[in-house]
Amino acid sequence: LSARMAAIGAELQGLSLKDPLLTTAQQKLVALINEAARSAEELGKALQGQNSSARNQAITKIEELLKKEAPIVDEINQYCSN
């Protein structure tokens, strides 16, 4: 999962966008995806090692990232609706 997320982040980063609002949203989304990929990898390692503390930290981080995603998506949707 983490490798696929990193690939999506790289693909999104490779898009050539001209609009400053879209490039800002792109940068935010790429950073979020890359961070989520790292957190997913950490979660996988914690689950394999049965490390409940690391598992809980990774889950908390993923939950925080999900909260950050909604405003970025809202920005993009608002842009597209105008």
Side-chain angles (χ1 to χ4, degrees):
L1 176 64
S2 63
R4 181 65 185 131
M5 292 173 77
I8 291 169
E11 187 176 330
L12 181 58
Q13 182 66 46
L15 295 177
S16 178
L17 303 174
K18 305 292 183 218
D19 188 290
L21 293 173
L22 289 179
T23 56
T24 299
Q26 176 190 32
Q27 291 168 352
K28 290 178 186 178
L29 200 52
V30 166
L32 183 93
I33 290 170
N34 289 338
E35 200 170 341
R38 285 189 296 275
S39 294
E41 184 175 354
E42 291 170 8
L43 179 58
K45 288 178 183 177
L47 291 172
Q48 287 178 348
Q50 298 181 347
N51 184 335
S52 62
S53 176
R55 181 196 67 220
N56 291 341
Q57 288 177 343
I59 289 171
T60 298
K61 183 64 176 178
I62 291 169
E63 289 171 343
E64 291 171 2
L65 292 170
L66 288 173
K67 291 176 186 173
K68 292 179 180 180
E69 178 195 24
I72 298 169
V73 172
D74 288 345
E75 286 177 35
I76 295 168
N77 287 338
Q78 185 175 2
Y79 175 88
C80 291
S81 68
N82 291 332

